[in-house]
Amino acid sequence: KTTVVKLLLGVVRPSAGRVRLFGRDPGELAVRQRRSAMLQVGKVPETLTVREHVELFASYYPRPLPVAETLHRAGLDRLADRRFGELSGGERQRTLYALALVGNPELMFLDEPTAGMDVEARRALWAEIRRAVDEGRSVVLTTHDLEEADALAERVVVLHQGRVLADGAPAAIKGQAALRRVRCRTALADADLAALAGVRRVSRDAGHVELLVGDAEPVVRALLARDPQLADLEVRSAGLEEAFLAITGAPTDDIHAAA
């Protein structure tokens, strides 16, 4: 995914074939002024304040957003006069998002944008990314967080060891696996649970057991028959993570999604 993004940004040249963005070479000034990027490998001077960075990046574009609006949308109002080097990891991420937004781009590349953020900050940035899309911008999001891809993406491309393993809407990809999650409290041992027909995986979390199954109803009936004290039963569709594991058979850590 890193190589793909670098090619689309014009940072590296292809060894074969062509790369086009807006029908033109990605390195052209006219193209660079229409897109922006928030990269994990990106670095900015730590001695400048947040506001100074946003003002500087705004000067690179012909029709930037107002600096005050950009700071507000990135949740940086109270941090505007703080030096970048004094920020926490999550605050730095919000600043880098502001730098990607201030140019008023048509296309945004966001590489692991919520890395280092707490839950509240992550949800706030998700909402801002949705707002950017609603405004007509295109967003290419690369992430290891499959919950994030599921929450934000209209289209997901799964890359594994240099190959495209899945390409489609999140619902379509999850539908390929046709899996369900059964979560409950039970006295049954893991070996007994794994032996139930249709159970693909057994895991435990905070006193609950979670089963990944193909057909939920027979499994639920078997659980109730074997454990009259079964409690906190919940059945829901599997997420992207389970779908990818079922489709690829790969560990989750080896899967990267581009949305």
Side-chain angles (χ1 to χ4, degrees), residues 45-55 79-84 87 95:
E46 298 201 346
T47 54
L48 295 182
T49 67
V50 171
R51 188 191 312 277
E52 288 171 336
H53 276 303
V54 176
E55 290 173 343
L79 301 173
D81 297 318
R82 187 177 299 180
R83 288 188 174 89
F84 186 81
L87 303 178
T95 301

Side-chain angles (χ1 to χ4, degrees), residues 143-151 240-241 244 252 255-257:
T143 180
H144 287 80
D145 186 340
L146 300 181
E147 179 189 2
E148 184 165 80
D150 201 1
L240 276 178
E241 179 177 323
F244 292 157
T252 308
I255 296 174
H256 313 291

